[in-house]
Amino acid sequence: MVTMAPCEGLVPEANAKESQERDAHFTNVPPGKFKDRPACFDVGKTTAGWLEGKRIDDNIGPYWRIHNKLYDLTDFAPRHPGGKEWITMTQGTDVTEAFESSHIKLTAEKILPKYYVKDIDTPRSSPYTFHEDGFYRTLKRKVRPVLEKIGQGPNRQILLIQDGLFAGFVTLTVLASVTESYTFAVLAGFVLAMNIMCAHNFFHQRDNFRMYYWDFSLLTSHDWRISHGLSHHLFTNTRYDLEVVALEPLLVFLPKRDKSFLQRYAAQVYEVLLLPFGFFVELIKRIQIVATGQTTFRPENLLPFLELFVMCGLASSAVTGLKLWLVVHAASSTWFSGIGVVVAHHHPEIYHDGDTFRENPDWGLCQLDAVRDRIEVKGNLFLVCTTFGDHSLHHLLPTVDHSKLDALYPAFFETCREFNIPFEFLSHWELARGTYQQLARNEPNPNPPGYKVKHD
């Protein structure tokens, strides 16, 4: 474990008058709380069900809520720099967390008044706060000048990594088909997994063609913009985190007292056995929700079937091509899921819904409560891109390209010192072991995050 010691007694920098004005404009409503049972539990634990459930819980009609104000962004959607989809699919929901985490510059805040409808005085269905003198907005102020110098988009190195991984996947897939080699098929699957882990960086950003590299797996970038970008990233390890609750009852990471013996201990075995099948389950679920009209068919959904068609054409028979295609995606599912489950979010010391909530519900602090980073990958862009590295900064600043995150550590560490936050890196082994300890944990943590620092 590598720990950055806190520095006590420092006061965050902020212009007092500006802080008061912006707080009054945006956050003059008491924080709300998560509903005991989000509506998506009843509507369905799918991406379409999550969005519909959030509309029910937020209850704001046809508008978009940001803090204590309602906006009509209908006319703005086609001009949204990040892409129309981010706006249209969130209509009728509270997008406060998405708005705050997606916009580091102040440009978006200056545009909003044009689309203002009215104030709203009902508490939000989220407990998170974004006060001007709080941790998260202080961090954004500190990284803003850095990003003005270096930009927040991808650099040449990460573009070469991403395009190289995709080219490697295509090459190995062709070789597997022509030689009918299952070894090449497994390697193609591993490279595909690295390709989509890197592409995850791009679907957080404005619309771009590299985000569709993700769709060469059996997953879809559109669905993951919801389940990952809007659900997991904004409400990490809570009952609104679809990546956590959708795994239940097979994998129960939340500390529930009614966990069965099988869920606590057998899951540590069958979780490994399920890894090759994860992508296929997602494919079946997507076919089901498209067939039932819950979501629409999208052209990129055809990409994995295009792979299948090509592989069947290159192999000596369609049956052999199908077998090789299944191996590619089983290997990809194993690699992707095996890394994704253990590298960042599950450990007994990490906050999970049911644990005692922190006293200061600043969104940035709550993100740090629910994320840990691995020391082994820091500073290596290839490993960061292909194993979900620099995860704390990525959660705090999801639209900033991974290639720029390393340059933000000085500002991040400075903010942590000012707020007396003992940020720490863990080893990969510590996090992997902690994942299985978390599966076994059925007692909520009675101490709120940060209590050790407070009482030291």
Side-chain angles (χ1 to χ4, degrees), residues 2 9 12 25 48 59 68 73 82 100 146 155 166 173 213 226 270 320 363-364 366 382 385 427 439 441 454:
V2 180
H25 181 72
N59 191 28
N68 59 329
L73 302 178
E100 287 281 353
V146 180
N155 64 13
F166 179 70
T173 299
Y213 287 161
I226 301 169
Y270 65 65
T320 301
W363 182 80
C366 292
F382 180 82
C385 293
S427 71
L439 280 171
R441 183 164 75 99
K454 184 176 180 179

Side-chain angles (χ1 to χ4, degrees), residues 104-105 143-155 205-206 397 399-408:
I104 300 169
K105 297 179 180 179
V143 303
R144 199 173 291 142
V146 180
L147 293 175
E148 287 176 354
K149 292 180 180 179
I150 66 174
Q152 66 180 70
N155 64 13
Q205 301 172 20
R206 63 181 61 196
L397 307 165
T399 58
V400 176
D401 190 85
H402 278 58
S403 61
K404 305 299 174 64
L405 293 178
D406 193 58
L408 304 182

Side-chain angles (χ1 to χ4, degrees), residues 320-333:
T320 301
L322 173 61
K323 290 179 180 178
L324 290 166
W325 181 81
L326 291 171
V327 170
V328 168
H329 289 286
S332 182
S333 178

Side-chain angles (χ1 to χ4, degrees), residues 116-421:
Y116 168 79
V117 176
K118 62 180 179 180
D119 284 9
I120 183 170
D121 58 6
T122 57
R124 300 196 310 120
S125 56
S126 165
Y128 300 133
T129 60
F130 295 88
H131 295 303
E132 187 65 21
D133 58 354
F135 175 88
Y136 187 60
R137 284 200 165 184
T138 300
L139 173 65
K140 289 206 293 184
R141 282 199 305 277
K142 290 181 181 295
V143 303
R144 199 173 291 142
V146 180
L147 293 175
E148 287 176 354
K149 292 180 180 179
I150 66 174
Q152 66 180 70
N155 64 13
R156 181 177 177 81
Q157 185 181 1
I158 197 170
L159 294 180
L160 288 173
I161 290 172
Q162 177 67 87
D163 295 342
L165 286 169
F166 179 70
F169 159 65
V170 172
T171 301
L172 286 167
T173 299
V174 171
L175 285 173
S177 305
V178 172
T179 64
E180 299 185 354
S181 166
Y182 289 99
T183 300
F184 278 137
V186 170
L187 291 175
F190 290 165
V191 175
L192 174 60
M194 290 187 282
N195 168 71
I196 65 175
M197 282 188 269
C198 191
H200 136 267
N201 170 57
F202 289 93
F203 74 59
H204 277 287
Q205 301 172 20
R206 63 181 61 196
D207 291 350
N208 63 91
F209 77 87
R210 288 183 176 86
M211 68 187 238
Y212 295 113
Y213 287 161
W214 179 275
D215 296 86
F216 282 86
S217 70
L218 301 184
L219 309 175
T220 76
S221 56
H222 174 265
D223 283 358
W224 276 69
R225 276 185 158 185
I226 301 169
S227 65
H228 186 77
L230 295 175
S231 174
H232 166 71
H233 256 262
L234 305 182
F235 306 101
T236 313
N237 282 358
T238 72
R239 66 200 75 176
Y240 277 92
D241 183 346
L242 196 55
E243 290 187 9
V244 170
V245 299
L247 297 175
E248 298 178 352
L250 289 176
L251 299 177
V252 183
F253 284 105
L254 302 185
K256 299 180 178 180
R257 290 190 172 92
D258 61 353
K259 279 188 193 180
S260 69
F261 180 87
L262 290 177
Q263 289 171 324
R264 296 180 66 194
Y265 301 107
Q268 302 180 25
V269 177
Y270 65 65
E271 179 259 344
V272 177
L273 301 178
L274 292 174
L275 293 178
F277 305 101
F279 282 12
F280 298 103
V281 171
E282 289 300 308
L283 175 61
I284 293 170
K285 285 167 60 178
R286 185 166 71 256
I287 292 173
Q288 179 184 11
I289 63 175
V290 169
T292 56
Q294 297 179 57
T295 190
T296 57
F297 172 82
R298 303 173 65 86
E300 61 266 24
N301 296 160
L302 289 174
L303 290 175
F305 299 103
L306 176 62
E307 295 168 24
L308 175 60
F309 177 79
V310 171
M311 293 181 76
C312 289
L314 293 175
S316 61
S317 70
V319 172
T320 301
L322 173 61
K323 290 179 180 178
L324 290 166
W325 181 81
L326 291 171
V327 170
V328 168
H329 289 286
S332 182
S333 178
T334 301
W335 187 277
F336 176 89
S337 304
I339 290 177
V341 168
V342 304
V343 295
H345 293 293
H346 302 304
H347 188 285
E349 295 181 3
I350 294 176
Y351 173 83
H352 290 75
D353 203 322
D355 294 336
T356 301
F357 199 63
R358 67 161 44 248
E359 295 177 9
N360 176 5
D362 179 275
W363 182 80
L365 294 178
C366 292
Q367 285 294 305
L368 294 182
D369 294 340
V371 183
R372 291 295 185 276
D373 270 295
R374 289 155 297 139
I375 189 63
E376 295 92 341
V377 305
K378 185 182 182 301
N380 185 318
L381 184 57
F382 180 82
L383 292 179
V384 165
C385 293
T386 57
T387 65
F388 302 113
D390 289 339
H391 214 63
S392 297
L393 275 175
H394 173 56
H395 262 255
L396 292 167
L397 307 165
T399 58
V400 176
D401 190 85
H402 278 58
S403 61
K404 305 299 174 64
L405 293 178
D406 193 58
L408 304 182
Y409 271 108
F412 172 60
F413 288 151
E414 180 182 348
T415 309
C416 287
R417 286 193 295 269
E418 290 187 5
F419 284 83
N420 199 26
I421 303 301

